[in-house]
Amino acid sequence: MNKKYILLVQALILLTLAFGCTMKEAEESNTFEVNEENEYLVSEFAKIPIAQVEYIDLTDSNFNDVESILLDIDYYVRSITRYIDRTEWKDNYTERHGEEFEFKIKIGLTQGASQVKGGYKQFVYLPLEIKFNEGLIESNKAPIAHEVTHLIAPYYSSLSLREGLACVIQDEIGKNPSVFNFGQPVDELSRQYLVKENTVDYNDVIDSIGESDIPEHLNLSKMDIETRKAYYILSHSFSKYLIDKYGLEKFMLAYEAEELNEKYIELYDKNLDELRQDWILYVLENES
């Protein structure tokens, strides 16, 4: 074979590989322009009222400007839909609101807790709206990936699995750590609640981990920050355990199950009590 021909083929192969990498990098980067529309700054998937922009002080944050916050949200929407394989997430909103629904996540600021509009019962109305704690945005601690997860996967069988998945994704995909573990290994943090000398104080929380629906008997408001913190850390740890041991696909089937207790047995061949005991044993035996 002609040497020049071989060199030409090799050059074409390298060019193809380089082009493929460039395309992938372009897909992963935030290339969508932010524009001004009807008194909003608007990106591909998000918008924020221009009137609120002046209140954000990003001096000590990793954001160059408010536009970069919107572009991060775009990045999270794309990344999370791929991560949990919910690329058709928009269908939920179209079915609820109609074909003309605007797929822009409305961003607002609050002095309170960061949350999607509607809180734990957001799935009832499916609004695309998130309020972020202003201080967390300004200090690079805002749970952006966490809250976007709630919008991408709005229908859930268990509040514990809902918050657990969002915490896992914040740690896996987020550019900053999850709020309650702040980068520390969550199993190490959960161990403090699961050791025998502490279980008496946290039995109600432990017994609610993985349970269906919303645990109305627990005070998960900011007024009882210790209970809220324990619930989120333990939900994070339990969800991570199920995902790591059995896979994300099975977890998502449980996450969206209509009859969760039956789904546990179908998917894992164990009931919730057995899964919870396996998880607790794993956490206690795997002390680093």
mmCIF file of all heavy atoms in Angstrom, residues 177-221:
data_model
loop_
_atom_site.group_PDB
_atom_site.id
_atom_site.type_symbol
_atom_site.label_atom_id
_atom_site.label_comp_id
_atom_site.label_asym_id
_atom_site.label_seq_id
_atom_site.Cartn_x
_atom_site.Cartn_y
_atom_site.Cartn_z
ATOM 1 N N PRO A 177 -20.514 20.488 46.993
ATOM 2 C CA PRO A 177 -21.035 19.323 47.736
ATOM 3 C C PRO A 177 -22.490 19.499 48.153
ATOM 4 O O PRO A 177 -23.034 20.602 48.162
ATOM 5 C CB PRO A 177 -20.126 19.247 48.969
ATOM 6 C CG PRO A 177 -18.942 20.088 48.640
ATOM 7 C CD PRO A 177 -19.427 21.149 47.714
ATOM 8 N N SER A 178 -23.104 18.381 48.530
ATOM 9 C CA SER A 178 -24.466 18.394 49.045
ATOM 10 C C SER A 178 -24.513 19.169 50.362
ATOM 11 O O SER A 178 -23.529 19.239 51.102
ATOM 12 C CB SER A 178 -24.937 16.953 49.268
ATOM 13 O OG SER A 178 -26.326 16.892 49.419
ATOM 14 N N VAL A 179 -25.678 19.758 50.649
ATOM 15 C CA VAL A 179 -25.790 20.711 51.755
ATOM 16 C C VAL A 179 -25.448 20.103 53.108
ATOM 17 O O VAL A 179 -24.702 20.690 53.893
ATOM 18 C CB VAL A 179 -27.208 21.316 51.800
ATOM 19 C CG1 VAL A 179 -27.397 22.135 53.068
ATOM 20 C CG2 VAL A 179 -27.440 22.211 50.587
ATOM 21 N N PHE A 180 -25.958 18.919 53.422
ATOM 22 C CA PHE A 180 -25.808 18.424 54.789
ATOM 23 C C PHE A 180 -24.517 17.655 55.038
ATOM 24 O O PHE A 180 -24.090 17.519 56.182
ATOM 25 C CB PHE A 180 -27.015 17.565 55.168
ATOM 26 C CG PHE A 180 -28.239 18.389 55.460
ATOM 27 C CD1 PHE A 180 -29.296 18.423 54.572
ATOM 28 C CD2 PHE A 180 -28.326 19.148 56.607
ATOM 29 C CE1 PHE A 180 -30.428 19.194 54.833
ATOM 30 C CE2 PHE A 180 -29.440 19.924 56.883
ATOM 31 C CZ PHE A 180 -30.497 19.942 55.987
ATOM 32 N N ASN A 181 -23.880 17.134 53.990
ATOM 33 C CA ASN A 181 -22.607 16.447 54.239
ATOM 34 C C ASN A 181 -21.403 17.281 53.816
ATOM 35 O O ASN A 181 -20.283 17.028 54.239
ATOM 36 C CB ASN A 181 -22.565 15.082 53.554
ATOM 37 C CG ASN A 181 -22.587 15.166 52.044
ATOM 38 O OD1 ASN A 181 -23.446 15.826 51.459
ATOM 39 N ND2 ASN A 181 -21.646 14.495 51.397
ATOM 40 N N PHE A 182 -21.629 18.307 52.989
ATOM 41 C CA PHE A 182 -20.576 19.246 52.603
ATOM 42 C C PHE A 182 -19.272 18.554 52.210
ATOM 43 O O PHE A 182 -18.189 18.925 52.638
ATOM 44 C CB PHE A 182 -20.315 20.253 53.729
ATOM 45 C CG PHE A 182 -21.474 21.177 53.975
ATOM 46 C CD1 PHE A 182 -22.254 21.046 55.121
ATOM 47 C CD2 PHE A 182 -21.811 22.159 53.054
ATOM 48 C CE1 PHE A 182 -23.337 21.892 55.340
ATOM 49 C CE2 PHE A 182 -22.895 23.000 53.260
ATOM 50 C CZ PHE A 182 -23.654 22.875 54.402
ATOM 51 N N GLY A 183 -19.400 17.521 51.399
ATOM 52 C CA GLY A 183 -18.223 16.852 50.858
ATOM 53 C C GLY A 183 -17.696 15.712 51.704
ATOM 54 O O GLY A 183 -16.842 14.945 51.249
ATOM 55 N N GLN A 184 -18.169 15.572 52.923
ATOM 56 C CA GLN A 184 -17.719 14.464 53.765
ATOM 57 C C GLN A 184 -18.432 13.170 53.340
ATOM 58 O O GLN A 184 -19.581 13.213 52.905
ATOM 59 C CB GLN A 184 -18.031 14.748 55.231
ATOM 60 C CG GLN A 184 -17.314 15.951 55.798
ATOM 61 C CD GLN A 184 -17.631 16.135 57.270
ATOM 62 O OE1 GLN A 184 -17.373 15.252 58.083
ATOM 63 N NE2 GLN A 184 -18.198 17.276 57.622
ATOM 64 N N PRO A 185 -17.773 12.020 53.466
ATOM 65 C CA PRO A 185 -18.426 10.752 53.118
ATOM 66 C C PRO A 185 -19.710 10.576 53.916
ATOM 67 O O PRO A 185 -19.692 10.604 55.152
ATOM 68 C CB PRO A 185 -17.373 9.701 53.504
ATOM 69 C CG PRO A 185 -16.071 10.440 53.424
ATOM 70 C CD PRO A 185 -16.370 11.838 53.883
ATOM 71 N N VAL A 186 -20.812 10.388 53.227
ATOM 72 C CA VAL A 186 -22.108 10.393 53.899
ATOM 73 C C VAL A 186 -22.292 9.188 54.819
ATOM 74 O O VAL A 186 -22.989 9.283 55.836
ATOM 75 C CB VAL A 186 -23.247 10.495 52.869
ATOM 76 C CG1 VAL A 186 -23.371 9.202 52.056
ATOM 77 C CG2 VAL A 186 -24.568 10.851 53.532
ATOM 78 N N ASP A 187 -21.656 8.062 54.484
ATOM 79 C CA ASP A 187 -21.787 6.892 55.354
ATOM 80 C C ASP A 187 -21.132 7.141 56.712
ATOM 81 O O ASP A 187 -21.630 6.680 57.743
ATOM 82 C CB ASP A 187 -21.175 5.657 54.690
ATOM 83 C CG ASP A 187 -22.035 5.150 53.544
ATOM 84 O OD1 ASP A 187 -23.220 5.531 53.481
ATOM 85 O OD2 ASP A 187 -21.525 4.387 52.706
ATOM 86 N N GLU A 188 -20.032 7.870 56.699
ATOM 87 C CA GLU A 188 -19.376 8.200 57.967
ATOM 88 C C GLU A 188 -20.277 9.090 58.818
ATOM 89 O O GLU A 188 -20.368 8.918 60.038
ATOM 90 C CB GLU A 188 -18.038 8.895 57.702
ATOM 91 C CG GLU A 188 -16.969 7.988 57.131
ATOM 92 C CD GLU A 188 -15.636 8.696 56.964
ATOM 93 O OE1 GLU A 188 -15.478 9.807 57.503
ATOM 94 O OE2 GLU A 188 -14.758 8.124 56.289
ATOM 95 N N LEU A 189 -20.945 10.036 58.171
ATOM 96 C CA LEU A 189 -21.844 10.919 58.913
ATOM 97 C C LEU A 189 -23.079 10.176 59.400
ATOM 98 O O LEU A 189 -23.593 10.451 60.481
ATOM 99 C CB LEU A 189 -22.267 12.096 58.018
ATOM 100 C CG LEU A 189 -21.163 13.080 57.642
ATOM 101 C CD1 LEU A 189 -21.714 14.165 56.735
ATOM 102 C CD2 LEU A 189 -20.546 13.715 58.887
ATOM 103 N N SER A 190 -23.572 9.232 58.600
ATOM 104 C CA SER A 190 -24.779 8.501 58.993
ATOM 105 C C SER A 190 -24.509 7.563 60.163
ATOM 106 O O SER A 190 -25.416 7.250 60.940
ATOM 107 C CB SER A 190 -25.340 7.711 57.806
ATOM 108 O OG SER A 190 -24.435 6.710 57.384
ATOM 109 N N ARG A 191 -23.252 7.155 60.305
ATOM 110 C CA ARG A 191 -22.911 6.206 61.372
ATOM 111 C C ARG A 191 -23.222 6.772 62.758
ATOM 112 O O ARG A 191 -23.620 6.040 63.664
ATOM 113 C CB ARG A 191 -21.424 5.837 61.263
ATOM 114 C CG ARG A 191 -21.009 4.641 62.098
ATOM 115 C CD ARG A 191 -19.576 4.237 61.814
ATOM 116 N NE ARG A 191 -19.425 3.821 60.426
ATOM 117 C CZ ARG A 191 -18.649 4.436 59.536
ATOM 118 N NH1 ARG A 191 -17.947 5.485 59.893
ATOM 119 N NH2 ARG A 191 -18.574 3.993 58.309
ATOM 120 N N GLN A 192 -23.084 8.087 62.905
ATOM 121 C CA GLN A 192 -23.330 8.691 64.224
ATOM 122 C C GLN A 192 -24.778 8.520 64.674
ATOM 123 O O GLN A 192 -25.063 8.515 65.866
ATOM 124 C CB GLN A 192 -22.984 10.179 64.183
ATOM 125 C CG GLN A 192 -23.870 11.000 63.257
ATOM 126 C CD GLN A 192 -23.453 12.440 63.156
ATOM 127 O OE1 GLN A 192 -23.351 13.122 64.183
ATOM 128 N NE2 GLN A 192 -23.212 12.924 61.945
ATOM 129 N N TYR A 193 -25.686 8.375 63.721
ATOM 130 C CA TYR A 193 -27.100 8.189 64.068
ATOM 131 C C TYR A 193 -27.463 6.708 64.242
ATOM 132 O O TYR A 193 -28.489 6.396 64.836
ATOM 133 C CB TYR A 193 -27.992 8.773 62.972
ATOM 134 C CG TYR A 193 -27.740 10.227 62.693
ATOM 135 C CD1 TYR A 193 -27.115 10.639 61.517
ATOM 136 C CD2 TYR A 193 -28.116 11.217 63.598
ATOM 137 C CE1 TYR A 193 -26.878 11.979 61.245
ATOM 138 C CE2 TYR A 193 -27.882 12.559 63.345
ATOM 139 C CZ TYR A 193 -27.259 12.933 62.164
ATOM 140 O OH TYR A 193 -27.023 14.268 61.909
ATOM 141 N N LEU A 194 -26.610 5.829 63.713
ATOM 142 C CA LEU A 194 -26.956 4.408 63.671
ATOM 143 C C LEU A 194 -26.281 3.574 64.760
ATOM 144 O O LEU A 194 -26.667 2.424 64.980
ATOM 145 C CB LEU A 194 -26.593 3.826 62.294
ATOM 146 C CG LEU A 194 -27.313 4.467 61.104
ATOM 147 C CD1 LEU A 194 -26.783 3.893 59.797
ATOM 148 C CD2 LEU A 194 -28.829 4.265 61.198
ATOM 149 N N VAL A 195 -25.280 4.131 65.431
ATOM 150 C CA VAL A 195 -24.656 3.379 66.524
ATOM 151 C C VAL A 195 -25.655 3.249 67.671
ATOM 152 O O VAL A 195 -26.493 4.127 67.894
ATOM 153 C CB VAL A 195 -23.362 4.072 67.010
ATOM 154 C CG1 VAL A 195 -22.271 3.995 65.947
ATOM 155 C CG2 VAL A 195 -23.622 5.515 67.417
ATOM 156 N N LYS A 196 -25.563 2.166 68.416
ATOM 157 C CA LYS A 196 -26.582 1.819 69.415
ATOM 158 C C LYS A 196 -26.832 2.925 70.432
ATOM 159 O O LYS A 196 -27.973 3.163 70.835
ATOM 160 C CB LYS A 196 -26.184 0.530 70.149
ATOM 161 C CG LYS A 196 -26.372 -0.724 69.305
ATOM 162 C CD LYS A 196 -26.084 -1.978 70.107
ATOM 163 C CE LYS A 196 -26.318 -3.228 69.267
ATOM 164 N NZ LYS A 196 -26.019 -4.461 70.042
ATOM 165 N N GLU A 197 -25.769 3.623 70.835
ATOM 166 C CA GLU A 197 -25.957 4.627 71.874
ATOM 167 C C GLU A 197 -26.770 5.830 71.398
ATOM 168 O O GLU A 197 -27.265 6.615 72.218
ATOM 169 C CB GLU A 197 -24.604 5.106 72.431
ATOM 170 C CG GLU A 197 -23.633 5.609 71.390
ATOM 171 C CD GLU A 197 -22.668 4.523 70.927
ATOM 172 O OE1 GLU A 197 -23.084 3.350 70.890
ATOM 173 O OE2 GLU A 197 -21.525 4.867 70.623
ATOM 174 N N ASN A 198 -26.931 5.972 70.072
ATOM 175 C CA ASN A 198 -27.678 7.119 69.553
ATOM 176 C C ASN A 198 -29.023 6.763 68.923
ATOM 177 O O ASN A 198 -29.819 7.656 68.634
ATOM 178 C CB ASN A 198 -26.839 7.871 68.511
ATOM 179 C CG ASN A 198 -25.656 8.577 69.132
ATOM 180 O OD1 ASN A 198 -25.656 8.857 70.332
ATOM 181 N ND2 ASN A 198 -24.647 8.858 68.347
ATOM 182 N N THR A 199 -29.261 5.472 68.707
ATOM 183 C CA THR A 199 -30.494 5.093 68.004
ATOM 184 C C THR A 199 -31.752 5.470 68.774
ATOM 185 O O THR A 199 -32.787 5.735 68.170
ATOM 186 C CB THR A 199 -30.521 3.575 67.716
ATOM 187 O OG1 THR A 199 -30.273 2.858 68.931
ATOM 188 C CG2 THR A 199 -29.491 3.195 66.667
ATOM 189 N N VAL A 200 -31.671 5.502 70.094
ATOM 190 C CA VAL A 200 -32.852 5.875 70.887
ATOM 191 C C VAL A 200 -33.342 7.263 70.502
ATOM 192 O O VAL A 200 -34.539 7.504 70.351
ATOM 193 C CB VAL A 200 -32.529 5.828 72.397
ATOM 194 C CG1 VAL A 200 -33.708 6.356 73.202
ATOM 195 C CG2 VAL A 200 -32.201 4.403 72.830
ATOM 196 N N ASP A 201 -32.404 8.189 70.296
ATOM 197 C CA ASP A 201 -32.770 9.565 69.959
ATOM 198 C C ASP A 201 -33.265 9.704 68.532
ATOM 199 O O ASP A 201 -33.987 10.653 68.221
ATOM 200 C CB ASP A 201 -31.557 10.490 70.163
ATOM 201 C CG ASP A 201 -31.141 10.572 71.622
ATOM 202 O OD1 ASP A 201 -32.021 10.450 72.494
ATOM 203 O OD2 ASP A 201 -29.940 10.757 71.879
ATOM 204 N N TYR A 202 -32.883 8.766 67.667
ATOM 205 C CA TYR A 202 -33.199 8.917 66.246
ATOM 206 C C TYR A 202 -34.019 7.750 65.681
ATOM 207 O O TYR A 202 -34.092 7.575 64.469
ATOM 208 C CB TYR A 202 -31.901 9.079 65.440
ATOM 209 C CG TYR A 202 -31.203 10.374 65.755
ATOM 210 C CD1 TYR A 202 -30.109 10.402 66.619
ATOM 211 C CD2 TYR A 202 -31.633 11.580 65.212
ATOM 212 C CE1 TYR A 202 -29.472 11.598 66.929
ATOM 213 C CE2 TYR A 202 -31.004 12.779 65.512
ATOM 214 C CZ TYR A 202 -29.925 12.779 66.364
ATOM 215 O OH TYR A 202 -29.301 13.963 66.672
ATOM 216 N N ASN A 203 -34.642 6.961 66.567
ATOM 217 C CA ASN A 203 -35.424 5.815 66.104
ATOM 218 C C ASN A 203 -36.520 6.207 65.124
ATOM 219 O O ASN A 203 -36.746 5.524 64.124
ATOM 220 C CB ASN A 203 -36.046 5.078 67.300
ATOM 221 C CG ASN A 203 -35.220 3.876 67.712
ATOM 222 O OD1 ASN A 203 -34.484 3.313 66.905
ATOM 223 N ND2 ASN A 203 -35.326 3.478 68.972
ATOM 224 N N ASP A 204 -37.217 7.300 65.404
ATOM 225 C CA ASP A 204 -38.306 7.725 64.519
ATOM 226 C C ASP A 204 -37.784 8.069 63.131
ATOM 227 O O ASP A 204 -38.433 7.771 62.122
ATOM 228 C CB ASP A 204 -39.045 8.935 65.114
ATOM 229 C CG ASP A 204 -39.934 8.545 66.283
ATOM 230 O OD1 ASP A 204 -40.168 7.335 66.465
ATOM 231 O OD2 ASP A 204 -40.390 9.449 67.009
ATOM 232 N N VAL A 205 -36.629 8.697 63.089
ATOM 233 C CA VAL A 205 -36.037 9.054 61.794
ATOM 234 C C VAL A 205 -35.587 7.795 61.064
ATOM 235 O O VAL A 205 -35.888 7.605 59.877
ATOM 236 C CB VAL A 205 -34.844 10.019 61.975
ATOM 237 C CG1 VAL A 205 -34.209 10.346 60.621
ATOM 238 C CG2 VAL A 205 -35.288 11.298 62.659
ATOM 239 N N ILE A 206 -34.876 6.922 61.762
ATOM 240 C CA ILE A 206 -34.376 5.688 61.145
ATOM 241 C C ILE A 206 -35.525 4.851 60.596
ATOM 242 O O ILE A 206 -35.452 4.329 59.479
ATOM 243 C CB ILE A 206 -33.545 4.872 62.163
ATOM 244 C CG1 ILE A 206 -32.293 5.642 62.569
ATOM 245 C CG2 ILE A 206 -33.165 3.505 61.587
ATOM 246 C CD1 ILE A 206 -31.555 5.061 63.769
ATOM 247 N N ASP A 207 -36.604 4.745 61.365
ATOM 248 C CA ASP A 207 -37.745 3.937 60.932
ATOM 249 C C ASP A 207 -38.473 4.540 59.738
ATOM 250 O O ASP A 207 -39.245 3.849 59.065
ATOM 251 C CB ASP A 207 -38.738 3.765 62.087
ATOM 252 C CG ASP A 207 -38.204 2.860 63.185
ATOM 253 O OD1 ASP A 207 -37.236 2.127 62.924
ATOM 254 O OD2 ASP A 207 -38.755 2.889 64.305
ATOM 255 N N SER A 208 -38.248 5.819 59.457
ATOM 256 C CA SER A 208 -38.918 6.462 58.329
ATOM 257 C C SER A 208 -38.095 6.391 57.037
ATOM 258 O O SER A 208 -38.607 6.710 55.952
ATOM 259 C CB SER A 208 -39.208 7.930 58.652
ATOM 260 O OG SER A 208 -38.014 8.682 58.680
ATOM 261 N N ILE A 209 -36.853 5.955 57.134
ATOM 262 C CA ILE A 209 -35.993 5.905 55.956
ATOM 263 C C ILE A 209 -36.482 4.807 55.002
ATOM 264 O O ILE A 209 -36.632 3.653 55.384
ATOM 265 C CB ILE A 209 -34.519 5.644 56.363
ATOM 266 C CG1 ILE A 209 -34.019 6.757 57.266
ATOM 267 C CG2 ILE A 209 -33.649 5.500 55.117
ATOM 268 C CD1 ILE A 209 -34.117 8.146 56.688
ATOM 269 N N GLY A 210 -36.737 5.208 53.769
ATOM 270 C CA GLY A 210 -37.221 4.271 52.762
ATOM 271 C C GLY A 210 -38.707 4.028 52.793
ATOM 272 O O GLY A 210 -39.243 3.326 51.931
ATOM 273 N N GLU A 211 -39.410 4.598 53.791
ATOM 274 C CA GLU A 211 -40.863 4.414 53.878
ATOM 275 C C GLU A 211 -41.561 5.178 52.753
ATOM 276 O O GLU A 211 -41.059 6.176 52.258
ATOM 277 C CB GLU A 211 -41.379 4.931 55.225
ATOM 278 C CG GLU A 211 -41.015 4.050 56.407
ATOM 279 C CD GLU A 211 -41.898 2.811 56.522
ATOM 280 O OE1 GLU A 211 -42.787 2.643 55.677
ATOM 281 O OE2 GLU A 211 -41.679 2.027 57.471
ATOM 282 N N SER A 212 -42.727 4.720 52.361
ATOM 283 C CA SER A 212 -43.491 5.378 51.312
ATOM 284 C C SER A 212 -44.075 6.696 51.819
ATOM 285 O O SER A 212 -44.241 6.896 53.022
ATOM 286 C CB SER A 212 -44.624 4.470 50.814
ATOM 287 O OG SER A 212 -45.515 4.165 51.872
ATOM 288 N N ASP A 213 -44.339 7.578 50.864
ATOM 289 C CA ASP A 213 -44.982 8.869 51.133
ATOM 290 C C ASP A 213 -44.109 9.795 51.982
ATOM 291 O O ASP A 213 -42.897 9.635 52.087
ATOM 292 C CB ASP A 213 -46.350 8.660 51.788
ATOM 293 C CG ASP A 213 -47.290 7.849 50.900
ATOM 294 O OD1 ASP A 213 -47.269 8.072 49.678
ATOM 295 O OD2 ASP A 213 -48.015 6.995 51.430
ATOM 296 N N ILE A 214 -44.767 10.774 52.611
ATOM 297 C CA ILE A 214 -44.091 11.799 53.408
ATOM 298 C C ILE A 214 -44.297 11.494 54.887
ATOM 299 O O ILE A 214 -45.437 11.299 55.316
ATOM 300 C CB ILE A 214 -44.653 13.196 53.077
ATOM 301 C CG1 ILE A 214 -44.453 13.513 51.594
ATOM 302 C CG2 ILE A 214 -44.007 14.267 53.943
ATOM 303 C CD1 ILE A 214 -45.160 14.762 51.122
ATOM 304 N N PRO A 215 -43.243 11.415 55.686
ATOM 305 C CA PRO A 215 -43.401 11.099 57.118
ATOM 306 C C PRO A 215 -43.977 12.290 57.886
ATOM 307 O O PRO A 215 -43.238 13.134 58.399
ATOM 308 C CB PRO A 215 -41.968 10.781 57.559
ATOM 309 C CG PRO A 215 -41.110 11.577 56.636
ATOM 310 C CD PRO A 215 -41.834 11.621 55.318
ATOM 311 N N GLU A 216 -45.283 12.344 57.962
ATOM 312 C CA GLU A 216 -45.950 13.486 58.600
ATOM 313 C C GLU A 216 -45.635 13.583 60.097
ATOM 314 O O GLU A 216 -45.781 14.653 60.695
ATOM 315 C CB GLU A 216 -47.467 13.385 58.404
ATOM 316 C CG GLU A 216 -47.917 13.334 56.938
ATOM 317 C CD GLU A 216 -47.712 14.650 56.197
ATOM 318 O OE1 GLU A 216 -47.323 15.644 56.848
ATOM 319 O OE2 GLU A 216 -47.936 14.693 54.978
ATOM 320 N N HIS A 217 -45.202 12.479 60.712
ATOM 321 C CA HIS A 217 -44.920 12.495 62.150
ATOM 322 C C HIS A 217 -43.573 13.141 62.475
ATOM 323 O O HIS A 217 -43.271 13.387 63.652
ATOM 324 C CB HIS A 217 -44.946 11.067 62.703
ATOM 325 C CG HIS A 217 -43.872 10.179 62.139
ATOM 326 N ND1 HIS A 217 -43.907 9.708 60.840
ATOM 327 C CD2 HIS A 217 -42.727 9.698 62.697
ATOM 328 C CE1 HIS A 217 -42.833 8.951 60.624
ATOM 329 N NE2 HIS A 217 -42.108 8.942 61.730
ATOM 330 N N LEU A 218 -42.750 13.411 61.441
ATOM 331 C CA LEU A 218 -41.460 14.041 61.672
ATOM 332 C C LEU A 218 -41.541 15.531 61.375
ATOM 333 O O LEU A 218 -42.186 15.950 60.408
ATOM 334 C CB LEU A 218 -40.384 13.419 60.770
ATOM 335 C CG LEU A 218 -39.992 11.971 61.025
ATOM 336 C CD1 LEU A 218 -38.906 11.552 60.045
ATOM 337 C CD2 LEU A 218 -39.502 11.767 62.462
ATOM 338 N N ASN A 219 -40.872 16.326 62.184
ATOM 339 C CA ASN A 219 -40.783 17.755 61.921
ATOM 340 C C ASN A 219 -39.525 18.008 61.101
ATOM 341 O O ASN A 219 -38.418 18.063 61.632
ATOM 342 C CB ASN A 219 -40.729 18.538 63.235
ATOM 343 C CG ASN A 219 -40.651 20.040 63.003
ATOM 344 O OD1 ASN A 219 -40.751 20.503 61.868
ATOM 345 N ND2 ASN A 219 -40.475 20.791 64.076
ATOM 346 N N LEU A 220 -39.716 18.159 59.785
ATOM 347 C CA LEU A 220 -38.579 18.334 58.889
ATOM 348 C C LEU A 220 -38.368 19.785 58.487
ATOM 349 O O LEU A 220 -37.641 20.086 57.547
ATOM 350 C CB LEU A 220 -38.769 17.469 57.632
ATOM 351 C CG LEU A 220 -38.853 15.967 57.884
ATOM 352 C CD1 LEU A 220 -39.114 15.208 56.588
ATOM 353 C CD2 LEU A 220 -37.564 15.454 58.545
ATOM 354 N N SER A 221 -39.001 20.690 59.205
ATOM 355 C CA SER A 221 -38.836 22.104 58.909
ATOM 356 C C SER A 221 -37.521 22.611 59.494
ATOM 357 O O SER A 221 -36.847 21.925 60.274
ATOM 358 C CB SER A 221 -39.996 22.915 59.483
ATOM 359 O OG SER A 221 -39.889 22.977 60.890
#
